[in-house]
Amino acid sequence: MSLLDPKTWQPVSLSGGESAVVEPATGDRLGTVVLASPEDVAAASEAAVAAQRAWAATPHLVRAGVLRRAGDLFTAHADEIRDWVIRESGSVPGKAGFELHVAAQECYEAAALASRPVGQVLPSEEPRLSYTRRVPAGPVGVIAPFNVPLILAIRSVAPALALGNAVLLKPDPRTAVSGGLALAAVFAEAGLPDGVLHVLPGGAGTGRALVAEPRVPVISFTGSTAAGRAVGEAAGRALKRAHLELGGNSALVVLADADIEAAVAQASWGSFFHQGQICMTTGRHLVHASLYEEYVERLAAQAESLAVGDPYREEVHLGPIIDTGQLAKIDALVEASAAGGARVAAGGTHRDLFYRPTVLADADDHTPAYAEEVFGPVAPVRAFTGLDEAAALAAAGPYGLSLGIVTRDAALGLELADRIPTGIVHINDQTVNDEAVAPFGGVAASGTGARFGGEANLDAFTDLRWTTVRREPAGHPF
C-alpha cells in the first residue's frame, strides 16, 4: 500500500500557492505540493500549542510507542520513500538507503528519550523538597535543507516529539516530499495525534515567519552560515533558543606516514559523496609534501573513474546538482580558482546539472574553492611540510565542523586534532559521518555546538525547571 499518494499527501489547507516537485536529473515534474504562507505558520502554531499540552501529558510509554512504530514504518515503506529521496534530491540509491536507515534509528533512539530520568533531587538549606525536572520546551520550529532531506529533518523532529513537544517542520520546497510530507505520513500512520506535527513547506518568508512566531520558543535550523546568522539574530531579538547547524569547509589531513591508497579512498568519498552537497564534505585536502604529487595523481585518476548521471535510472556514483543556481556557484568557484593559479587535475566540466568530480591541485589561501564552502564535488589539494603547518592550515578559516586525519599513528592523530577547533574528529576516516547516537554540531561559523543526537537532544528540546515543596508555608522577615 502506498504511503505517499499524491492525492492525499497534504490533507491540511495551506494558502501559499502550488509548487512543482521537480526531478533534477531529468527536469520532470513528479507532482505538486502546496506551500505554506506566513499566515499558515500562525495558524499552525496556535493549533500546535493546544495539541502539545495533551501530547506532553501522554504517558511516556505511549509516546515511545509512537516513535518505535514510526521507525518500523520507515523500514516497511523504505522502497517508496527511497525513490522519493533519489528523485527529489538527486541521491544515489546507497545514500538514499542510508537516509532511511538513519531515519529509523533516530526514531528508535528518540523512543528511549521518553523514559529517561527527568530531573534530580537537590540538597537544600531549607526544610523543603528541592528538585529539578525537565519539561517540554513547547512547539519546536524545525527548518531543514534539501541536501539530506530525511535525516536533517527527522534528527530534530523525532527527539522533539518523544520529549513531549509539538513540531512545526519547514522543509525546503525542493524536497518537500522526502523532507517533510513523508514524515507527516509516517507519524500519522504511527498514531501521532492530530495537531502535534505540522509540515509547512515554503521559502525564506515562511522560515522568517516561523522564527518570529512568539508561540514557538525553540528553533532547530540546518542550512548555510549566512542564513543561520539571520536566524540566530532574529531568534536572539525574540529571546528564543536557536540551535544552528551551519556550513563547513572541513579539512582532511594526510600525514607523512599515511597509507596513500587508503588516504585517497577516504578522500574521494569525503569530497564526492552526494556531489559534495553535504555540510561535512571534505573541502580542503592537506597532504604532506612527501606524498603530495602521488596523492594528486591518484585522486585525479579516481575522480576520472567515477560515473556521473541519473541515479534513478543508471548505476552511477554521482547524481545531479540540485538546481542551476547551485551549479552556477560551483562552476564560478572552479573557474576563478583556475584563473588564480590552481591546476585542474580532473573534472571542471558539466553536462546539464551533472558536474564532474573535480580535483584542484596547488591550492592556496587565495584559491576561491579552497577558501570558501563550495557545496559541490570539488577537492582542492594543498601541501604542508610539518605538523605545525598542518595544524595552522586546518585551523584557519571561519568554520569548525568536521576534521579527518589519516595516519598510521593514531595517538599522533589525536594530538594533532587537539590543536584544531572543530565539533567532530575522525582519525583514519574522512569527514562525512553520522550516527543517531552521536552528538552532532560544529563551532564558530559552523554552528552553536553539538545540539543534535544522543544526550544533546535533552538540552535542545527541554527546559530545566527548579521546583521546591514545603509542608507548611514559609515564614519571611516581612
Short mmCIF file of all heavy atoms in Angstrom, two decimals, residues 192 270 284 387 399:
data_model
loop_
_atom_site.label_atom_id
_atom_site.label_comp_id
_atom_site.label_asym_id
_atom_site.label_seq_id
_atom_site.Cartn_x
_atom_site.Cartn_y
_atom_site.Cartn_z
N LEU A 192 0.49 9.29 15.83
CA LEU A 192 0.70 10.60 16.44
C LEU A 192 -0.60 11.39 16.37
O LEU A 192 -1.23 11.48 15.31
CB LEU A 192 1.80 11.36 15.69
CG LEU A 192 2.23 12.69 16.30
CD1 LEU A 192 3.00 12.46 17.59
CD2 LEU A 192 3.09 13.49 15.31
N GLY A 270 34.97 11.48 0.77
CA GLY A 270 34.72 12.71 1.54
C GLY A 270 34.36 13.89 0.68
O GLY A 270 33.56 14.74 1.09
N ARG A 284 38.88 20.69 1.97
CA ARG A 284 40.31 21.03 1.89
C ARG A 284 41.12 19.76 2.15
O ARG A 284 40.94 19.11 3.18
CB ARG A 284 40.67 22.10 2.92
CG ARG A 284 39.99 23.45 2.69
CD ARG A 284 40.31 24.42 3.81
NE ARG A 284 39.77 23.97 5.08
CZ ARG A 284 40.25 24.32 6.28
NH1 ARG A 284 41.34 25.09 6.35
NH2 ARG A 284 39.70 23.88 7.38
N LEU A 387 54.00 19.28 11.13
CA LEU A 387 52.77 19.24 11.92
C LEU A 387 52.28 20.62 12.31
O LEU A 387 51.07 20.87 12.34
CB LEU A 387 52.99 18.39 13.17
CG LEU A 387 53.12 16.87 12.95
CD1 LEU A 387 53.37 16.17 14.28
CD2 LEU A 387 51.86 16.32 12.29
N TYR A 399 35.29 28.26 9.69
CA TYR A 399 34.46 27.11 10.03
C TYR A 399 35.12 26.19 11.03
O TYR A 399 36.32 26.23 11.23
CB TYR A 399 34.13 26.32 8.76
CG TYR A 399 33.35 27.10 7.73
CD1 TYR A 399 33.98 27.60 6.59
CD2 TYR A 399 31.99 27.34 7.90
CE1 TYR A 399 33.27 28.31 5.64
CE2 TYR A 399 31.27 28.06 6.95
CZ TYR A 399 31.92 28.54 5.81
OH TYR A 399 31.22 29.25 4.87
#
